[in-house]
Amino acid sequence: MSDYHKKMMYYFGAGSVMLSLSLARELGVVQMLMEANVPLTSQQVADKLNLRERYVREILGSLAVGEVISVDDSSTQFHVPDDRKPTFNAISVFSRFLPQFGLRHASIKECAQQRNTGGIVYSQTPGLFETLTDILVVVKKDMIDTDILSAIPLLLPKLESGIKVAEFGCATGIILNKLASRFKNSTFLGFDVASAPLVQAREEASTQGLQNVTYDTDNIETISESYKESFDWILTRLVIHDLTYPQKALNDIYQCLKPGGIFSMIEVGIEGGITGNIANASAMFYYSASTFLCIPESLRRPDSAALGATWGASLARKMVAKAGFTIINESVSHTDEHEIHFVCQK
């Protein structure tokens, strides 16, 4: 068996294990293993979760042979060592993308045909916004401090005293609601083209009793007509590369900011292109995610830019400069080597 054959089989097996991990998370198995202080049998897990033991046994077996979880010599007691639990939990969230890619497979096949000029928006895939929310809640729960505010210390006193902030592409409002809760003197506005996730954003804001945050359905590519020089700080996260006309959106964001205002563009910033990322696991995911999510989201018109998640840090810098911004800081995410916070000033 050649080394290439072994590698292909490894990828095939690893992908299958990640599908099992996704199923384990949705069935509650991941949470039970996270909470357990002692090894558990498949019967104990099944009884606790009201599941059929035979399915649980095979799921745990898949995770064990894939070295995702540990198993004793009798192959009956399963556990996750404490030092591995944070990673185990985080990757289980990301694993949920795989069945969602599968749901989109047939549609992507159609979109790829020359005769088809359309795409697929995120809202067409059940559960996708839930997964994106879980990433912010579980994997990036501390990102406001570690990835956002730490890169823009000059804004902190202004947020405390009171400024006007907008997030374009806010989805379920996880980031904006946290900011609004912390900085009560500032006003926050969240926009998204999809109305469904905004319902959840509003409900959470209401539950927290937040009076300084509102949400609206609007398009980032036309929004400058209504909000010229309105905001002190604008935030986007993994939004620009998904847009049909990203350069126009950057131009409009520039117009929406007050003079001297800050634009936080948090984006995938892969350096080195394809050849510089051979066998890089994170890059593998981003090229695949771009195929199933980002390209179909943006490539809905013949003249779409269709940047994709792998557009690269170099092009990102050129495009924000073309819009008129000066990049005053770049900060790499604490949880993702390819996610960069470009701090841009008008």
Side-chain angles (χ1 to χ4, degrees):
M1 187 181 295
S2 69
D3 289 343
Y4 177 74
H5 185 98
K6 292 177 182 177
K7 180 185 290 187
M8 291 300 100
M9 286 305 300
Y10 176 80
Y11 288 152
F12 178 66
S16 302
V17 170
M18 286 298 104
L19 277 171
S20 294
L21 181 58
S22 173
L23 185 59
R25 182 170 186 87
E26 296 192 21
L27 288 173
V29 175
V30 167
Q31 187 62 35
M32 191 167 176
L33 290 171
M34 286 289 294
E35 295 172 353
N37 296 317
V38 296
L40 301 171
T41 66
S42 57
Q43 190 65 61
Q44 287 173 315
V45 175
D47 289 346
K48 179 71 173 180
L49 298 175
N50 195 29
L51 300 173
R52 297 168 73 181
E53 185 276 337
R54 189 64 189 90
Y55 280 99
V56 173
R57 193 194 326 164
E58 213 71 358
I59 291 169
L60 293 173
S62 172
L63 300 182
V65 297
E67 298 182 304
V68 174
I69 64 175
S70 299
V71 62
D72 71 349
D73 291 339
S74 70
S75 295
T76 60
Q77 301 271 344
F78 303 90
H79 76 286
V80 180
D82 288 343
D83 63 332
R84 296 183 178 182
K85 283 184 177 180
T87 298
F88 172 66
N89 195 31
I91 298 302
S92 74
V93 174
F94 281 107
S95 72
R96 295 185 63 202
F97 276 121
L98 299 185
Q100 288 162 350
F101 290 175
L103 287 174
R104 297 168 73 93
H105 190 280
S107 296
I108 301 300
K109 180 180 176 182
E110 282 301 308
C111 288
Q113 305 302 315
Q114 188 67 41
R115 66 178 183 274
N116 194 331
T117 58
I120 316 170
V121 296
Y122 285 174
S123 57
Q124 289 178 253
T125 302
L128 184 54
F129 280 111
E130 182 182 342
T131 299
L132 296 172
T133 297
D134 276 353
I135 290 173
L136 291 176
V137 171
V138 177
V139 184
K140 293 182 172 292
K141 62 182 185 299
D142 300 319
M143 77 169 297
I144 287 179
D145 291 307
T146 61
D147 297 357
I148 299 178
L149 296 179
S150 61
I152 46 173
L154 75 163
L155 270 186
L156 286 175
K158 296 179 181 179
L159 284 164
E160 294 284 3
S161 60
I163 58 175
K164 194 169 182 179
V165 181
E167 183 184 3
F168 295 153
C170 65
T172 55
I174 295 295
I175 293 175
L176 213 58
N177 282 339
K178 285 185 177 182
L179 288 169
S181 177
R182 185 181 302 191
F183 301 105
K184 297 293 179 61
N185 292 327
S186 289
T187 302
F188 298 86
L189 217 56
F191 299 96
D192 205 288
V193 292
S195 58
L198 294 183
V199 174
Q200 183 176 336
R202 293 187 186 103
E203 288 176 351
E204 181 59 30
S206 177
T207 299
Q208 294 186 41
L210 300 176
Q211 302 296 318
N212 59 333
V213 59
T214 55
Y215 293 95
D216 194 11
T217 305
D218 216 328
N219 191 332
I220 188 176
E221 294 168 325
T222 59
I223 207 165
S224 65
E225 300 168 7
S226 304
Y227 293 97
K228 188 172 183 179
E229 295 190 354
S230 294
F231 302 106
D232 300 281
W233 179 32
I234 293 176
L235 168 70
T236 64
R237 179 178 177 271
L238 308 186
V239 168
I240 301 301
H241 72 260
D242 276 343
L243 300 176
T244 304
Y245 305 116
Q247 188 62 62
K248 183 181 185 309
L250 290 170
N251 297 344
D252 287 352
I253 289 172
Y254 185 88
Q255 294 299 320
C256 287
L257 278 171
K258 298 175 182 178
I262 298 295
F263 169 43
S264 287
M265 183 178 76
I266 301 174
E267 272 292 343
V268 181
I270 291 179
E271 303 270 18
I274 294 174
T275 56
N277 288 279
I278 300 298
N280 181 298
S282 181
M284 290 181 202
F285 167 74
Y286 276 121
Y287 275 94
S288 298
S290 192
T291 301
F292 284 94
L293 300 175
C294 309
I295 295 299
E297 172 71 24
S298 59
L299 193 55
R300 287 179 282 150
R301 294 175 184 167
D303 59 344
S304 298
L307 294 176
T310 60
W311 62 319
S314 178
L315 180 55
R317 295 183 188 106
K318 290 177 182 177
M319 291 181 67
V320 295
K322 186 176 180 180
F325 289 107
T326 298
I327 296 178
I328 60 174
N329 190 22
E330 290 186 18
S331 177
V332 178
S333 169
H334 283 59
T335 59
D336 186 343
E337 63 178 317
H338 291 311
E339 188 172 304
I340 300 176
H341 181 178
F342 297 92
V343 181
C344 314
Q345 189 166 33
K346 179 174 179 178

